[in-house]
Amino acid sequence: MAAPLPVAVVGASGYTGAELLRLLFGHPHCDVTGLYARKSAGRAIDEVFRQFVGLSSQTVEAFDADAVANRAQVAFCALPHGHSATVVAALRERGLLVVDLSADFRLRDADEYAKWYGSNERPTHPAPHLLEGAVYGLPERYRAQIADSKLIASPGCYPTSAILAIAPLIDRGLVATTGLVVDAKSGASGAGRSPALAVHLPEAGEGVRAYKVAGAHRHTAEIEQELGAAAGGTDVRLTFTPHLLPMSRGILSCVYAAPTDSSLSVDDYRAALVDAYDDEPFVAVLPAGTSPDTAHVRTSNMAHVSVAYDERAGRVLAMSAIDNLVKGAAGQAIQSMNVAMGWDERAGLRGVAAFP
Amino acid sequence: MAAPLPVAVVGASGYTGAELLRLLFGHPHCDVTGLYARKSAGRAIDEVFRQFVGLSSQTVEAFDADAVANRAQVAFCALPHGHSATVVAALRERGLLVVDLSADFRLRDADEYAKWYGSNERPTHPAPHLLEGAVYGLPERYRAQIADSKLIASPGCYPTSAILAIAPLIDRGLVATTGLVVDAKSGASGAGRSPALAVHLPEAGEGVRAYKVAGAHRHTAEIEQELGAAAGGTDVRLTFTPHLLPMSRGILSCVYAAPTDSSLSVDDYRAALVDAYDDEPFVAVLPAGTSPDTAHVRTSNMAHVSVAYDERAGRVLAMSAIDNLVKGAAGQAIQSMNVAMGWDERAGLRGVAAFP
Amino acid sequence: MAAPLPVAVVGASGYTGAELLRLLFGHPHCDVTGLYARKSAGRAIDEVFRQFVGLSSQTVEAFDADAVANRAQVAFCALPHGHSATVVAALRERGLLVVDLSADFRLRDADEYAKWYGSNERPTHPAPHLLEGAVYGLPERYRAQIADSKLIASPGCYPTSAILAIAPLIDRGLVATTGLVVDAKSGASGAGRSPALAVHLPEAGEGVRAYKVAGAHRHTAEIEQELGAAAGGTDVRLTFTPHLLPMSRGILSCVYAAPTDSSLSVDDYRAALVDAYDDEPFVAVLPAGTSPDTAHVRTSNMAHVSVAYDERAGRVLAMSAIDNLVKGAAGQAIQSMNVAMGWDERAGLRGVAAFP
Amino acid sequence: MAAPLPVAVVGASGYTGAELLRLLFGHPHCDVTGLYARKSAGRAIDEVFRQFVGLSSQTVEAFDADAVANRAQVAFCALPHGHSATVVAALRERGLLVVDLSADFRLRDADEYAKWYGSNERPTHPAPHLLEGAVYGLPERYRAQIADSKLIASPGCYPTSAILAIAPLIDRGLVATTGLVVDAKSGASGAGRSPALAVHLPEAGEGVRAYKVAGAHRHTAEIEQELGAAAGGTDVRLTFTPHLLPMSRGILSCVYAAPTDSSLSVDDYRAALVDAYDDEPFVAVLPAGTSPDTAHVRTSNMAHVSVAYDERAGRVLAMSAIDNLVKGAAGQAIQSMNVAMGWDERAGLRGVAAFP
């Protein structure tokens, strides 16, 4: 058996970092040799996250590119967008394979990035020279490119769920690319670990609300980019509505689209999903007539997808359920690493959803 | 002060029945003189619903139209559709004002009713002769007719939320009536009190899913009827997607619509809501830029509405939050009774939402 | 009808403040003439708490004792302990009836206060001269004194629940006052409105834990004081374990005690509760063999109590369920005001629990 | 590498069955060769439990002892008590190693079994001849015996949590065995998969209550048996109070005990836990001053334990958190199999808790 691959997690003190550790600790080919985070530097990981008590008390360190390079061959960066690009650049310079879980390399166009993510202090992309070599880390769409890349921009949680649901229908020209509506529902872990009124248990524990509606959520750009690519390069403008739900994990996306050919039936739409995902290890097309439930993918890297057709109203409804922290973040990043390393894509990701 | 009005609750053993009692026990002009339910007949109400311990131990009785008529002048019927119509007919024959919370008198057209609610054992409407005299009990739309009616068909929870959100924009011709999408999220109390796997806590407590999608949910007919009326009699076909969320109470509806005039701004849409609801005691138009949260209307009869406009994608998003058991059922039924009795519409319904 | 009594809420921006407003807005004899809070000063209450949209947009002001005195005859103070005493003193000097919801006047002994609540910057009680005139605002125990008092120290949520459950058994000498264990479970609203990791939804939404165990929680002092009084002045030392549960509202307390007479049966214990609470408007003794559920008192001022006897192990288990924000805070404060004003004790508090 | 061991799961349609499958599918030395259940016989497992879609569609079969024996060497029985014994007997006769997750072989004394589990139709133990050969499957207490046994009676969830928390203190004579109180809080999955009002989401989703108090819960017998054994054969009578919480998974147990030597400190108690569990792979003693949280063990086989000492009241508080479906059921059963097979005890059970 080959020696395990040394990997580092940069940004180990957030939920995505913790999830990377949960999965990497069980990965058959990896050895986590370094944990990095700013605010938690100097603390043991089992103090930062109590679930590791008795399992690991590795010390979290302040990031240092040379130290990471000395110790690891692959780095997962789970840092806030804007901050990530510099770290990624430093690690790429030192030759590491980098899987970046921030938004910094997801948009192929630096101008688009500036429009959505620019700020007064950082108006333009921090490392535009790396954009061309970056690949959008959705293996179901870019497996070959991921296999050849050294910089994998792992997709956002909402985009993963939306794209997996509807892209096969766009690929095949079955639905229109205008008028798309993505209504997505997320658990609160997507908001991160910093306490805030919006995810304070008494405020959010028994209600639901939409937020950043009408184009205000930055994941809109990413969804549009990928669905535009699916449509062969068309510009896509869609409406994306994220919601916060009283649960920790999971995203359910409902994508509403107009059919391009009104003579088609739900079987035709479902056949497109089956065709797209038949060989995919992490996407299951549900039986006809059933709808996905986030509870059934909780803690796993699986995406459940289905499609319905409202004949009366002439509307296709494509749905998907994922765990936002797994297929929507850490699991997918590891899946991409597996692809890039030429391993079985399922390595370290075979965990069945913990239901109930 | 006038003598209190004697009222009866038929179907007192379900959640809607309990909610009617909660509100009626605090109503300044009503006295609950009879409780009726089939399975719970003979039991005290504080045994059926423990929240009444120390407050009421009235006995639940088997329904008997004459007994009700002897004791009450107004009856609230919270029975399953199909079963309700016969009870309503018996009570109307005896002269009572009936507020029916079932679906039996909501659709004005008996053929539509048969199409959506017909079954092998009951293929047609059980009391079509009463349809003409029935009024759709949404005071914000039919206040004058409710004031004159003896049979008030109190709306469904989903229709209430959807109609309140979008109808003002349709009334004013601001959005198209084709291509409407209603994506609605509901707490589990909407499923009723009968235990079932779909609302078993371990199955449903930490996940979200859509159900009865693509025209399969019967509330579709009711929403279409009312939005068609708003459009001046047009036939409306829309896509309605209900979801079950891990919480007890609340419905959030997002209604997506195409603008009819692309030169309008979000201010114009919001102005339409303000115009429609300015004098309404139970509908609050939220400040511009904010979105409703079901937690803020929990236990109250208020509806919170707002509208956003996605300029990029050319899509209007009208939203509303209600408590499905109050404005979506018991509270609205009482509001209609208040209108019908000529009382202050807020009587018995002034309770502020219990937040958090 | 008499003119309404003008009342002020000082500390209107926390959950207890909001709950006071929810209840006072519906109180038949009160008019809320002033809202005060430090950080929210200058904002409308319906902006601070969205549930008031459409109902009230009173402006929250910075506290000023003279302004309060000019406007109100009764003040409810829902401020942090330590801060409250000074405000209370200023209002008492100006003659107002003050219901204080902080801990500042609950402990009768200034030394005990210093021991439990003292800090470096405030080592001793800030207003010890007021202690003698203060009454512990638990109407079920101190109704007569409350009626005569101008300074009512409204009890803590945990103490309310524990005392209501076990005090009648101690009063009657049925259980030992040594070895008492209070194991209490609370919803997250008890932690207040300031976001913190401990009540961050993803951290706390699906788990349970004890906190401040083994005498670390300051409510211990209050429970011991009152159970000691019940025992006729004995010193009581008990073990109190609070827990945080994944819900917003509610406290369930289980009090374990050794019987003093092993020949007694559960009927004897239950009879003591019935005897104590038979005429109480807000305490219901549950039927024999049943246990309280916080869901059945949610949003109401009711306490549900019961008692069981484990004959095998020789242990009495007294239980109670309350809504921590109502009977455990705002509702009880209003109940005490009603007593002090000579009104029907139930005024403004007749709301039935909103279940489910 | 050795051929995988063929194992069967009897009772595959309940939550414990599903959890066995989740873990066994990832076990490095096992191959699940048969799934058995009565009501779900004939259905594919991914239809019975949607989380298996895309992972397994093995057919669930009706139980047949010969078929199981032909196909498997180890059987996990996750059947209701009373029903299990017959199945276990049939499988033992055919030579299989049986891990029984029912209560049927946990109590060593057939009379005790009859007292707690006897019914009119089954007044006595169904297979008393097997009791002597059965071992209580708590590896932390009976590792050597498990290694030698062919019939492992896997403990109940509540007993596992209570025993792990307090037994080391009893072993060492540090606490009294009289007056013990076990106050335990459980998620709803412990109630099983059959819908019932008590675990109906709207009823149980936002409240907490105790149930089967004062010796009414049958796990009392099991806890007493094991703590009695820890005390060297003393008869132990304790008070056990289980609670239902609004969450799916997890048990938190608080065990209250009187110290035998009042000169000891919390460090002494903690040292006893460390001493007991230092080499245990699945029990972590938390840092001094911290308390366990079920969220930190969710989906994992870890138990988190801690102890506090209330000096003022002279009471020891031992606490533990487990996932009721893993360490409290399926995980522990697999742990015992690992012991019995002579494998690394952690095989298939290395999964870190999925937090948040």
Side-chain angles (χ1 to χ4, degrees):
Chain A
M1 191 188 264
L5 181 82
V7 304
V9 173
V10 186
S13 63
Y15 288 144
T16 303
E19 195 71 358
L20 282 163
L21 294 179
R22 176 175 81 89
L23 295 168
L24 288 169
F25 284 163
H27 197 290
H29 311 318
C30 291
D31 190 17
V32 180
T33 57
L35 307 181
Y36 302 90
R38 199 170 41 180
K39 272 192 283 189
S40 302
R43 299 173 66 197
I45 190 63
D46 59 350
E47 189 194 339
V48 178
F49 282 110
R50 197 56 59 83
Q51 67 267 33
F52 295 112
V53 167
L55 303 171
S56 167
S57 50
Q58 263 184 266
T59 302
V60 178
E61 299 171 58
F63 175 73
D64 176 275
D66 289 324
V68 177
N70 283 337
R71 241 186 258 169
Q73 292 177 34
V74 173
F76 293 92
C77 293
L79 298 168
H81 63 82
H83 296 276
S84 196
T86 324
V87 166
V88 169
L91 294 172
R92 283 298 304 120
E93 279 168 24
R94 285 159 182 79
L96 280 81
L97 168 62
V98 178
V99 186
D100 182 32
L101 290 92
S102 85
D104 283 355
F105 299 96
R106 293 177 192 157
L107 300 182
R108 279 182 279 275
D109 180 337
D111 291 342
E112 274 292 294
Y113 182 87
K115 202 171 86 186
W116 289 91
Y117 291 93
S119 62
N120 282 342
E121 52 180 68
R122 192 186 295 106
T124 60
H125 195 285
H129 62 290
L130 293 176
L131 282 174
E132 198 179 332
V135 60
Y136 192 71
L138 191 57
E140 290 79 9
R141 310 281 304 165
Y142 296 100
R143 185 166 283 115
Q145 296 91 318
I146 292 168
D148 283 341
S149 177
K150 286 294 196 180
L151 171 46
I152 299 163
S154 212
C157 49
Y158 285 121
T160 296
S161 72
I163 296 163
L164 289 177
I166 195 70
L169 304 185
I170 295 179
D171 288 335
R172 288 158 182 76
L174 302 179
V175 296
T177 55
T178 55
L180 289 165
V181 168
V182 178
D183 190 289
K185 298 91 184 167
S186 174
S189 61
R193 208 184 189 196
S194 297
L197 197 59
V199 282
H200 190 49
L201 174 51
E203 304 269 321
E206 292 163 12
V208 56
R209 65 177 175 282
Y211 66 99
K212 293 189 184 166
V213 301
H217 196 292
R218 294 190 275 212
H219 280 177
T220 307
E222 205 177 321
I223 306 173
E224 289 181 348
Q225 168 182 284
E226 294 306 316
L227 298 188
T234 324
D235 252 20
V236 167
R237 290 289 168 270
L238 54 77
T239 289
F240 167 51
T241 311
H243 293 78
L244 179 67
L245 266 64
M247 60 188 203
S248 283
R249 288 174 178 244
I251 288 183
L252 182 76
S253 284
C254 291
V255 187
Y256 298 92
T260 49
D261 174 351
S262 63
S263 71
L264 296 184
S265 76
V266 67
D267 295 340
D268 298 305
Y269 301 117
R270 188 168 180 280
L273 292 182
V274 170
D275 181 45
Y277 296 127
D278 211 22
D279 296 329
E280 286 296 338
F282 292 117
V283 185
V285 182
L286 296 186
T290 62
S291 296
D293 186 328
T294 61
H296 297 144
V297 295
R298 208 167 192 282
T299 75
S300 97
N301 198 50
M302 292 296 294
H304 283 188
V305 299
S306 75
V307 64
Y309 179 48
D310 189 340
E311 285 186 61
R312 301 172 57 265
R315 187 72 44 168
V316 174
L317 167 57
M319 290 178 273
S320 78
I322 61 170
D323 183 315
N324 57 307
L325 294 179
V326 192
K327 184 62 179 167
Q332 181 147 271
I334 291 169
Q335 185 184 353
S336 283
M337 173 190 66
N338 290 344
V339 171
M341 298 301 298
W343 296 330
D344 183 329
E345 198 163 323
R346 291 166 298 182
L349 298 172
R350 292 173 191 272
V352 178
F355 175 85
Chain B
M1 192 189 265
L5 181 82
V7 304
V9 173
V10 186
S13 64
Y15 290 144
T16 302
E19 195 70 358
L20 282 164
L21 293 179
R22 176 175 81 89
L23 295 169
L24 288 169
F25 284 163
H27 197 290
H29 311 318
C30 292
D31 190 16
V32 179
T33 56
L35 306 182
Y36 302 90
R38 198 170 40 179
K39 272 191 283 188
S40 302
R43 299 173 67 197
I45 190 64
D46 60 349
E47 188 193 341
V48 178
F49 282 110
R50 197 57 59 84
Q51 67 266 35
F52 295 113
V53 166
L55 303 171
S56 169
S57 49
Q58 264 184 266
T59 302
V60 178
E61 298 171 59
F63 175 74
D64 176 275
D66 289 324
V68 177
N70 283 338
R71 242 188 257 169
Q73 294 176 33
V74 173
F76 293 91
C77 292
L79 298 168
H81 64 82
H83 296 276
S84 195
T86 325
V87 166
V88 168
L91 294 172
R92 283 296 305 120
E93 280 168 24
R94 285 159 181 81
L96 281 82
L97 167 63
V98 178
V99 186
D100 182 31
L101 290 91
S102 86
D104 283 356
F105 299 96
R106 294 177 191 158
L107 299 181
R108 279 181 280 275
D109 180 337
D111 291 343
E112 275 292 293
Y113 181 87
K115 201 171 86 187
W116 289 91
Y117 291 93
S119 62
N120 282 342
E121 51 180 66
R122 193 185 294 106
T124 60
H125 194 285
H129 61 290
L130 293 177
L131 282 175
E132 197 178 333
V135 59
Y136 192 71
L138 190 57
E140 290 78 9
R141 310 279 308 163
Y142 297 100
R143 185 166 282 115
Q145 297 91 318
I146 292 167
D148 283 342
S149 177
K150 287 296 198 179
L151 173 44
I152 298 163
S154 212
C157 49
Y158 284 122
T160 296
S161 72
I163 296 163
L164 289 177
I166 195 69
L169 304 186
I170 295 180
D171 288 335
R172 289 159 182 78
L174 302 180
V175 296
T177 55
T178 54
L180 288 165
V181 168
V182 178
D183 190 289
K185 297 91 183 168
S186 174
S189 61
R193 206 184 190 197
S194 297
L197 197 59
V199 282
H200 191 49
L201 174 51
E203 305 269 322
E206 293 163 11
V208 55
R209 65 177 175 283
Y211 66 100
K212 294 189 184 166
V213 302
H217 196 291
R218 294 190 273 213
H219 280 177
T220 307
E222 204 177 321
I223 306 173
E224 289 182 346
Q225 168 182 284
E226 294 305 317
L227 298 188
T234 325
D235 251 21
V236 167
R237 289 287 168 272
L238 54 79
T239 289
F240 168 51
T241 312
H243 294 78
L244 180 66
L245 266 63
M247 59 188 204
S248 283
R249 287 173 178 244
I251 289 184
L252 182 76
S253 284
C254 291
V255 187
Y256 298 91
T260 49
D261 175 352
S262 63
S263 72
L264 296 185
S265 76
V266 67
D267 294 339
D268 298 306
Y269 301 117
R270 189 169 180 278
L273 293 182
V274 171
D275 181 46
Y277 296 128
D278 212 23
D279 295 329
E280 287 296 337
F282 293 116
V283 185
V285 183
L286 296 186
T290 62
S291 295
D293 185 329
T294 60
H296 296 144
V297 296
R298 208 168 192 281
T299 74
S300 98
N301 198 49
M302 292 296 294
H304 283 188
V305 299
S306 75
V307 64
Y309 178 49
D310 189 341
E311 285 186 61
R312 301 171 58 264
R315 187 73 45 169
V316 174
L317 166 57
M319 291 179 273
S320 77
I322 61 169
D323 183 315
N324 57 307
L325 293 179
V326 191
K327 184 62 180 167
Q332 182 147 270
I334 290 169
Q335 183 184 353
S336 283
M337 172 190 68
N338 289 344
V339 171
M341 298 301 297
W343 296 330
D344 183 329
E345 199 163 323
R346 291 166 299 181
L349 297 172
R350 292 173 191 270
V352 177
F355 174 85
Chain C
M1 193 188 263
L5 180 81
V7 305
V9 173
V10 186
S13 63
Y15 290 144
T16 303
E19 195 70 358
L20 282 164
L21 293 179
R22 176 174 82 87
L23 295 169
L24 288 170
F25 284 164
H27 197 290
H29 310 318
C30 291
D31 190 16
V32 180
T33 56
L35 307 181
Y36 302 90
R38 199 170 40 178
K39 273 192 281 188
S40 301
R43 299 173 67 197
I45 190 64
D46 60 349
E47 188 193 339
V48 178
F49 282 109
R50 198 56 59 83
Q51 67 267 35
F52 295 112
V53 167
L55 302 171
S56 168
S57 49
Q58 263 183 267
T59 302
V60 178
E61 297 170 60
F63 175 73
D64 176 275
D66 289 324
V68 177
N70 283 338
R71 243 187 258 169
Q73 293 176 34
V74 173
F76 292 91
C77 293
L79 297 168
H81 64 81
H83 296 276
S84 196
T86 324
V87 165
V88 168
L91 294 173
R92 282 297 304 121
E93 280 167 24
R94 285 158 181 80
L96 281 81
L97 168 62
V98 179
V99 186
D100 182 31
L101 290 92
S102 86
D104 283 356
F105 299 97
R106 294 176 191 157
L107 300 181
R108 278 182 280 275
D109 180 337
D111 291 342
E112 274 292 293
Y113 181 87
K115 200 171 87 188
W116 289 91
Y117 291 93
S119 62
N120 282 341
E121 51 180 68
R122 191 185 295 107
T124 60
H125 194 286
H129 62 289
L130 293 177
L131 282 174
E132 198 177 334
V135 60
Y136 193 71
L138 191 57
E140 290 78 8
R141 310 279 308 162
Y142 296 100
R143 184 167 283 115
Q145 296 92 318
I146 292 167
D148 283 343
S149 178
K150 287 294 195 179
L151 172 45
I152 299 163
S154 213
C157 49
Y158 284 121
T160 296
S161 72
I163 297 164
L164 289 177
I166 194 71
L169 304 186
I170 294 179
D171 288 336
R172 287 158 183 77
L174 302 180
V175 296
T177 54
T178 54
L180 288 165
V181 168
V182 178
D183 189 290
K185 297 91 183 167
S186 174
S189 60
R193 208 185 190 197
S194 296
L197 197 59
V199 282
H200 191 49
L201 174 50
E203 304 270 321
E206 293 163 11
V208 55
R209 65 176 175 283
Y211 66 100
K212 294 189 184 165
V213 302
H217 196 292
R218 293 190 275 214
H219 281 176
T220 306
E222 205 178 321
I223 306 173
E224 289 181 347
Q225 168 182 283
E226 293 306 315
L227 298 188
T234 324
D235 252 21
V236 167
R237 289 290 167 268
L238 54 79
T239 290
F240 168 51
T241 312
H243 293 78
L244 179 66
L245 266 64
M247 59 188 205
S248 282
R249 287 174 179 243
I251 289 183
L252 182 76
S253 284
C254 290
V255 187
Y256 298 91
T260 49
D261 175 352
S262 63
S263 72
L264 297 184
S265 76
V266 67
D267 295 340
D268 298 306
Y269 301 116
R270 189 169 179 280
L273 293 182
V274 170
D275 180 45
Y277 297 128
D278 213 21
D279 296 328
E280 286 297 336
F282 293 116
V283 185
V285 182
L286 295 186
T290 62
S291 297
D293 186 329
T294 61
H296 297 145
V297 295
R298 209 170 192 280
T299 75
S300 97
N301 199 50
M302 292 297 293
H304 283 188
V305 300
S306 76
V307 63
Y309 179 48
D310 188 340
E311 285 186 60
R312 300 171 58 265
R315 186 73 44 169
V316 174
L317 167 56
M319 290 179 274
S320 77
I322 61 169
D323 183 315
N324 56 307
L325 294 179
V326 191
K327 183 63 178 166
Q332 181 146 271
I334 291 169
Q335 184 185 352
S336 283
M337 172 189 67
N338 290 344
V339 171
M341 298 300 299
W343 296 331
D344 183 330
E345 199 163 325
R346 291 166 299 179
L349 298 171
R350 293 173 190 270
V352 177
F355 175 85
Chain D
M1 192 189 263
L5 181 82
V7 304
V9 173
V10 186
S13 64
Y15 290 144
T16 302
E19 195 70 359
L20 282 164
L21 293 178
R22 175 175 81 88
L23 296 168
L24 289 169
F25 284 164
H27 197 289
H29 311 317
C30 291
D31 190 17
V32 180
T33 57
L35 307 181
Y36 302 90
R38 198 169 42 180
K39 273 192 281 188
S40 302
R43 299 173 67 197
I45 190 65
D46 60 349
E47 189 193 340
V48 178
F49 282 110
R50 197 57 59 84
Q51 68 266 34
F52 295 112
V53 166
L55 303 171
S56 168
S57 50
Q58 264 183 267
T59 302
V60 178
E61 299 171 59
F63 176 74
D64 175 275
D66 289 324
V68 176
N70 284 337
R71 242 188 257 169
Q73 293 176 33
V74 173
F76 293 91
C77 293
L79 297 167
H81 63 82
H83 296 276
S84 195
T86 325
V87 166
V88 168
L91 294 172
R92 282 298 304 121
E93 280 167 24
R94 285 159 182 80
L96 280 81
L97 167 63
V98 178
V99 187
D100 183 31
L101 290 91
S102 86
D104 284 355
F105 298 96
R106 294 177 191 157
L107 300 181
R108 278 181 280 275
D109 180 338
D111 291 343
E112 274 293 293
Y113 181 88
K115 201 172 85 187
W116 289 91
Y117 292 92
S119 61
N120 282 343
E121 50 181 67
R122 191 185 296 107
T124 59
H125 194 286
H129 62 289
L130 292 176
L131 281 174
E132 197 178 334
V135 59
Y136 192 71
L138 191 58
E140 290 78 9
R141 310 279 308 163
Y142 297 100
R143 185 166 283 116
Q145 297 91 318
I146 292 168
D148 283 342
S149 177
K150 287 295 197 179
L151 172 45
I152 299 163
S154 213
C157 48
Y158 285 121
T160 296
S161 71
I163 296 163
L164 289 178
I166 195 69
L169 304 185
I170 295 179
D171 288 334
R172 289 159 182 76
L174 303 180
V175 296
T177 54
T178 54
L180 289 166
V181 168
V182 179
D183 190 288
K185 298 89 185 169
S186 175
S189 60
R193 206 183 191 197
S194 297
L197 198 58
V199 282
H200 191 50
L201 174 50
E203 305 268 321
E206 293 163 11
V208 56
R209 65 177 176 282
Y211 66 100
K212 293 189 184 164
V213 302
H217 196 292
R218 294 190 273 212
H219 281 176
T220 307
E222 206 177 321
I223 305 173
E224 289 181 347
Q225 168 183 283
E226 294 305 317
L227 297 188
T234 325
D235 251 21
V236 167
R237 289 288 168 271
L238 53 79
T239 289
F240 168 51
T241 311
H243 293 78
L244 179 66
L245 266 62
M247 59 188 204
S248 283
R249 287 173 178 243
I251 288 183
L252 182 76
S253 284
C254 291
V255 187
Y256 298 91
T260 48
D261 175 351
S262 62
S263 72
L264 296 185
S265 75
V266 66
D267 294 340
D268 298 306
Y269 300 117
R270 188 167 181 280
L273 293 182
V274 170
D275 181 46
Y277 297 128
D278 211 23
D279 295 328
E280 286 296 337
F282 293 117
V283 185
V285 182
L286 295 187
T290 63
S291 296
D293 185 329
T294 60
H296 296 144
V297 296
R298 210 168 191 281
T299 74
S300 97
N301 198 49
M302 292 297 293
H304 283 188
V305 300
S306 75
V307 64
Y309 178 49
D310 189 340
E311 285 187 61
R312 301 171 58 264
R315 187 72 45 167
V316 174
L317 166 57
M319 292 179 272
S320 77
I322 61 169
D323 183 316
N324 58 307
L325 294 178
V326 192
K327 184 62 179 167
Q332 182 147 271
I334 291 169
Q335 183 184 354
S336 283
M337 171 190 68
N338 289 344
V339 171
M341 298 301 298
W343 297 331
D344 182 331
E345 199 163 322
R346 292 166 299 181
L349 297 171
R350 293 173 191 270
V352 178
F355 173 85

